[in-house]
Every structure is written in C-alpha cells, then in structure tokens.
Amino acid sequence: MNIGTAVDSIYHWRGGIETATEVPLAIKTRTALYSYVEDVIRKIHPYDTPEIVAIPIVRGEARYLGWLAAETARAN
C-alpha cells in the first residue's frame, strides 16, 4: 500500500462543484481479491461514492510480481 500526501480535489457532485482535501491511496492486490478490498474500503470510507478503480498490471519486474503474489496468497 502507498499513502500519498494530501491533495486538493475539485469535482462535480450532485449538481455542484465541491472541493476537499483528500489523501490518495494505492493498494496492490490480485484480481481475485478486488471485491474483498473494495468491500473493506466502502465500509470504512466516509464518502458515499469513493474513488475506487482497478488498474491492471500489464507487465512488471518478475521478482516484484512474485513478491506480490506471495504476499496476497495469505489473504484467501
């Protein structure tokens, strides 16, 4: 997981323009665990519609991908 520094966000919401200070978070996992991760985020996130997106890994360094697979294997 990577936790970024706070950013100022400007977005449309329910017919208006909103601003908020948000902290970007990147969580790396396997496709099989996506639903679990999304459910956990929805339960703890204060927004009605949090920004939750999946970005597929197209390629990656073999040792890192092996580490990721090993670390997420225990979460089944």
Side-chain angles (χ1 to χ4, degrees), residues 42-74:
R42 286 187 178 284
K43 287 178 184 171
I44 64 174
H45 202 286
Y47 286 4
D48 291 336
T49 308
E51 179 183 349
I52 304 171
V53 296
I55 301 170
I57 298 172
V58 177
R59 290 187 67 167
E61 195 273 330
R63 289 176 296 177
Y64 173 78
L65 296 179
W67 169 83
L68 179 60
E71 289 299 309
T72 58
R74 293 180 285 186

Side-chain angles (χ1 to χ4, degrees), residues 7-62:
V7 296
D8 294 325
S9 295
I10 302 169
Y11 52 93
H12 290 266
W13 181 249
R14 297 185 175 160
I17 296 177
E18 297 286 330
T19 61
T21 300
E22 300 177 325
V23 176
L25 175 67
I27 300 172
K28 295 160 273 241
T29 192
R30 293 180 288 117
T31 301
L33 298 175
Y34 174 85
S35 294
Y36 170 77
V37 172
E38 181 179 312
D39 289 344
V40 170
I41 293 169
R42 286 187 178 284
K43 287 178 184 171
I44 64 174
H45 202 286
Y47 286 4
D48 291 336
T49 308
E51 179 183 349
I52 304 171
V53 296
I55 301 170
I57 298 172
V58 177
R59 290 187 67 167
E61 195 273 330

